[in-house]
Amino acid sequence: MNVDYQLHINGLKGLKPFLQNIMLIENYDGMGELDAKEVGETFDLAIEALEKQMPKKPRKYQGVTLECPACGSIKTHSAPYCKYCGQALDWSDTE
């Protein structure tokens, strides 16, 4: 199953301001600004989680070992995900 994460990320980025504006306009409970902020934070977390599922190549560190491109932790084997931050890793074309 090949998921187009970027398509989902772009959809969330487009939907976020729309829903925030609805919260501000409707303002059912007088807490529209707080509700809009919470919606924004929730969308940011979802976008961050989806971005971590997009595999990234480990970076060379000191010419020999490899590190996670997201958190910088040192990798000693080709695990599909970083055990420290959860970033999906693409090990193709690594030595």
Side-chain angles (χ1 to χ4, degrees):
M1 176 184 202
N2 189 9
V3 177
D4 186 351
Y5 292 107
Q6 195 60 53
L7 180 67
H8 294 294
I9 290 168
N10 291 342
L12 286 174
K13 286 181 177 179
L15 189 58
K16 175 183 164 182
F18 176 74
L19 289 178
Q20 286 178 304
N21 283 332
I22 288 176
M23 294 292 177
L24 289 172
I25 292 168
E26 297 299 329
N27 198 15
Y28 294 115
D29 57 2
M31 303 287 288
E33 286 184 33
L34 182 60
D35 292 341
K37 181 181 177 190
E38 288 176 355
V39 164
E41 290 170 352
T42 301
F43 270 73
D44 290 341
L45 286 172
I47 290 167
E48 181 182 342
L50 280 172
E51 287 174 339
K52 282 195 174 187
Q53 297 309 305
M54 295 173 62
K56 295 180 181 165
K57 294 193 177 295
R59 296 184 302 234
K60 292 228 180 222
Y61 175 75
Q62 296 180 351
V64 180
T65 58
L66 298 168
E67 66 180 9
C68 174
C71 72
S73 65
I74 303 299
K75 304 286 143 214
T76 56
H77 64 292
S78 57
Y81 295 93
C82 174
K83 70 178 181 178
Y84 298 103
C85 73
Q87 174 65 52
L89 300 171
D90 176 5
W91 290 97
S92 64
D93 301 332
T94 56
E95 298 173 5

